[in-house]
Amino acid sequence: MPERYRCAACGNVTRFDVTATRRTRAFHHYTIGGDLTVEDTEVLEERVESVSCRWCGSARAVEALVEGDDAAPAGEAPA
Ligand SMILES: [Zn+2]
């Protein structure tokens, strides 16, 4: 499940600029001519450094939505 965010300043829940560092492993598939197709990218590690609101530009007001929050899609029963 990808992390979801909400901007407390303007109410935006759909547009964010996310700066992150990722460590990935992928299958690099070359043709004999040297053209590259990257396949099966697997994220081994991901560190989100900052999230800013695309609407109002605020970085401080953006908060992560907790799973089970009212805004999250239903489907999973509480433990
Ligand atoms: Zn905002």
Side-chain angles (χ1 to χ4, degrees), residues 6-13 15-16 52-59 61-62:
R6 173 172 53 208
C7 176
C10 73
N12 165 36
V13 293
R15 300 285 189 277
F16 299 94
S52 62
C53 177
R54 189 81 184 186
W55 286 1
C56 71
S58 173
V62 175

Side-chain angles (χ1 to χ4, degrees), residues 26-29 36-41:
F27 171 41
H28 284 212
H29 182 183
L36 170 64
T37 303
V38 178
E39 300 171 16
D40 300 334
T41 302

